């Protein structure tokens, strides 16, 4: 399992950017990612060229470009297919990530249009993370979410009757999730300082 948040060295001279990573079809105006983005001045959203027909290489490359577009540390806040996109990041880019909140990760084998995102990496992430899953998510059963969390070294938050944890399931502003995010950010901000790891060479996906 990955080291606890208390081991993250993340008090930085540069402010931590929050990168929102939506899933398939993007996150609409009533989605909690949109609500939070509007509340957080340091937040930005990865802008995929094609939200309707996702392709793993293109989605991962665009997220990598978003992360590396400016210097400084990053916290990822991902939903559904955005979680799977995030864990596919190459190591040189993942080195810039200080923590991640991964909500309702998708099962790409459930939908033919998403099969290109499989297999899902099952290795420990190089940064601390919190995975949130629901016991009645129609897109990914909780036992698979548990497998993801175990493989990634993530803390797992189990929700009851929360569906896919999106606007359709009644999670608009989602105050419970907001509290989880604040805990993640607080643990990142209060950790001992270190220099943000920089890639030894430019990531080919970001060029």
């Amino acid at each position: 399992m990955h080291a606890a948040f208390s081991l993250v060295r993340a008090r930085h001279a540069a402010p931590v950017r929050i990168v929102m990573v939506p899933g398939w079809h993007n996150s609409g105006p009533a989605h909690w990612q949109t609500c939070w983005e509007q509340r957080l001045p340091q937040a930005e959203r990865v802008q995929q060229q094609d939200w309707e027909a996702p392709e793993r290489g293109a989605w991962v490359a665009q997220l990598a470009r978003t992360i590396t577009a400016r210097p400084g540390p990053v916290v990822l806040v991902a939903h559904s297919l955005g979680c799977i996109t995030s864990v596919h990041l190459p190591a040189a880019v993942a080195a810039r990530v200080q923590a991640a909140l991964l909500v309702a990760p998708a099962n790409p084998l459930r939908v033919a249009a998403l099969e290109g995102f499989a297999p899902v990496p099952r290795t420990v992430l190089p940064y601390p993370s919190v995975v949130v899953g629901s016991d009645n998510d129609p897109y990914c059963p909780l036992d698979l979410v548990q497998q993801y969390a175990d493989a990634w070294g993530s803390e797992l938050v189990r929700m009851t009757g929360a569906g896919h944890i999106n606007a359709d399931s009644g999670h608009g502003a989602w105050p419970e999730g907001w509290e989880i995010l604040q805990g993640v950010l607080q643990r990142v901000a209060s950790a001992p300082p270190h220099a943000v790891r920089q890639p030894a060479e430019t990531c080919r996906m970001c060029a």
Side-chain angles (χ1 to χ4, degrees), residues 35 100 105 198 207:
C35 297
Q198 298 293 340

Side-chain angles (χ1 to χ4, degrees), residues 28-41:
H31 195 285
W32 54 266
Q33 282 186 313
T34 304
C35 297
W36 296 3
E37 188 178 352
Q38 294 168 351
R39 294 179 66 179
L40 294 164

Side-chain angles (χ1 to χ4, degrees), residues 178-189:
W178 177 260
E179 291 303 315
I180 295 172
L181 175 62
Q182 296 312 302
V184 170
L185 296 177
Q186 179 59 41
R187 283 178 277 183
V188 167

Side-chain angles (χ1 to χ4, degrees), residues 44-77:
E44 62 184 286
R45 178 178 304 209
V46 60
Q47 295 295 336
Q48 300 293 354
Q49 293 185 356
D50 192 340
W51 290 105
E52 307 309 312
E55 193 276 322
R56 187 178 88 185
W59 272 43
V60 174
Q62 182 63 17
L63 176 57
R65 283 190 290 267
T66 301
I67 291 170
T68 59
R70 298 199 302 276
V74 167
V75 170
L76 300 178
V77 178

Side-chain angles (χ1 to χ4, degrees), residues 72-95:
V74 167
V75 170
L76 300 178
V77 178
H79 180 252
S80 192
L81 190 63
C83 301
I84 308 305
T85 303
S86 298
V87 301
H88 274 295
L89 283 170
V93 180

Side-chain angles (χ1 to χ4, degrees), residues 150-170:
D150 290 345
W152 299 338
S154 306
E155 176 184 342
L156 176 62
V157 176
R158 299 174 180 84
M159 297 183 67
T160 301
H164 198 44
I165 316 178
N166 57 9
D168 289 343
S169 63

Side-chain angles (χ1 to χ4, degrees), residues 123-136:
T123 56
V124 175
L125 298 173
Y127 46 81
S129 56
V130 175
V131 171
V132 182
S134 171
D135 64 357
N136 68 337

